[in-house]
């Protein structure tokens, strides 16, 4: 089955550590996105990539970094510069070539600072 | 101009009632309007979507109503059930945005038994 896989489902980070969240898709989608969701809040765009080896900052990119070396993969690194990283992180993908270019979301990674 | 404004922020409905969530937009280039449903601890999933060439689209108990002149669209959930309790997001995109969606702020729906 095609879809998006995010791992791990739960992640704990100590103060000052960098952590990397994995996002893999086998939908052959060109575009991939990272969103942050805080409790009871909406979706805030961190980074997005529309083609391999290219990505753009979203609305809250500070303290985060990404790479897009392969079409299937779009890992997100939460750096120590991100002062409040505890949140639910969602990865999504889409293809502008589809007739209805909605997003397919992964099941999310819940990051907690301990 | 890129914003999509969604209301209400939260909604409580009795079982069997009609749930209505509204969204408004400014960007007239938007040409695709999906709704997403998110259960706690899960990623959002596409529920139903509409394009501006039709005024209404129905899938089961879920209906999107679209008013192009008012730049508004809404989700109606008929015969609401406790299993519909979730967060709902409206969104919009345009061909020029390269499939990037602009999301509303979300509505937390609770359907009481």
């Amino acid at each position: 089955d095609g879809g998006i896989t995010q791992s791990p489902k739960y992640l704990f980070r100590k103060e000052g550590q960098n952590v990397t969240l994995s996002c893999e898709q086998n939908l052959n989608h060109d575009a991939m996105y990272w969103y942050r969701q805080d409790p009871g809040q909406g979706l805030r765009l961190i980074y997005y990539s529309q083609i391999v080896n290219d990505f753009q900052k979203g609305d809250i990119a500070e303290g985060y970094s990404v790479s897009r070396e392969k079409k299937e993969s779009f890992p997100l690194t939460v750096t120590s510069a991100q002062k409040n990283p505890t949140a639910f992180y969602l990865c999504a993908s889409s293809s502008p070539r589809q007739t209805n270019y909605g997003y397919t979301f992964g099941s999310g990674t819940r990051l907690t600072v301990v | 101009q890129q914003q999509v404004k969604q209301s209400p922020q939260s909604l409580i409905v009795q079982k069997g009632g009609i749930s209505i969530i509204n969204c408004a937009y400014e960007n007239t280039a938007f040409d695709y309007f999906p709704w997403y449903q998110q259960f706690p601890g899960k990623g959002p999933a596409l529920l139903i979507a509409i394009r501006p060439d039709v005024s209404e689209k129905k899938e089961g108990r879920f209906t999107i109503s679209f008013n192009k002149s008012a730049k508004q669209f809404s989700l109606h959930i008929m015969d609401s059930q406790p299993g519909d309790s979730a967060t709902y997001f409206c969104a919009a995109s345009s061909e020029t945005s390269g499939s990037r969606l602009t999301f509303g702020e979300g509505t937390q729906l609770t359907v009481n038994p």
Side-chain angles (χ1 to χ4, degrees):
Chain A
D1 286 339
I4 294 186
T5 301
Q6 287 188 243
S7 61
K9 188 171 178 65
Y10 299 96
L11 187 57
F12 298 90
R13 191 194 94 168
K14 293 182 179 180
E15 295 279 354
Q17 273 186 340
N18 291 355
V19 291
T20 298
L21 283 60
S22 171
C23 179
E24 303 275 336
Q25 55 100 358
N26 60 3
L27 299 165
N28 199 32
H29 283 172
D30 296 307
M32 297 186 74
Y33 312 82
W34 274 105
Y35 287 87
R36 169 179 172 144
Q37 188 174 33
D38 293 286
Q41 302 297 311
L43 304 169
R44 293 191 288 170
L45 182 64
I46 304 172
Y47 269 98
Y48 65 103
S49 167
Q50 294 187 308
I51 55 172
V52 175
N53 292 322
D54 188 43
F55 49 83
Q56 287 77 42
K57 293 182 178 180
D59 302 317
I60 56 165
E62 185 175 351
Y64 300 97
S65 66
V66 293
S67 64
R68 186 86 187 277
E69 297 176 1
K70 298 186 300 181
K71 187 176 185 178
E72 302 80 15
S73 179
F74 191 40
L76 173 74
T77 296
V78 184
T79 75
S80 57
Q82 171 50 240
K83 298 306 179 187
N84 186 22
T86 295
F88 189 49
Y89 290 87
L90 287 160
C91 179
S93 71
S94 70
S95 175
R97 293 173 294 175
Q98 289 180 338
T99 302
N100 293 312
Y101 34 82
Y103 288 6
T104 300
F105 281 90
S107 55
T109 292
R110 189 167 300 279
L111 174 62
T112 303
V113 174
V114 296
Chain B
Q1 194 180 21
Q2 287 295 322
Q3 286 185 324
V4 175
K5 294 189 182 298
Q6 183 172 346
S7 63
Q9 187 174 9
S10 62
L11 180 62
I12 299 174
V13 174
Q14 291 299 119
K15 179 181 176 182
I18 302 173
S19 304
I20 301 175
I21 305 171
N22 300 298
C23 287
Y25 64 97
E26 289 294 326
N27 187 352
T28 55
F30 285 149
D31 60 2
Y32 178 64
F33 302 89
W35 285 87
Y36 287 82
Q37 179 187 55
Q38 184 184 28
F39 293 106
K42 304 293 184 183
L46 180 64
L47 184 63
I48 187 173
I50 197 168
R51 290 194 176 274
D53 52 344
V54 296
S55 60
E56 186 176 282
K57 183 174 181 180
K58 183 176 181 179
E59 291 184 2
R61 296 183 295 109
F62 299 91
T63 299
I64 299 178
S65 296
F66 185 79
N67 186 330
K68 188 174 181 178
S69 61
K71 291 183 285 187
Q72 295 176 346
F73 58 109
S74 60
L75 176 70
H76 296 234
I77 306 174
M78 312 299 288
D79 187 25
S80 298
Q81 300 296 313
D84 297 330
S85 297
T87 300
Y88 293 82
F89 294 96
C90 65
S93 69
S94 66
E95 189 172 345
T96 56
S97 72
S99 80
R100 179 181 167 187
L101 287 170
T102 298
F103 285 92
E105 298 87 352
T107 296
Q108 191 163 351
L109 172 66
T110 302
V111 181
N112 288 328

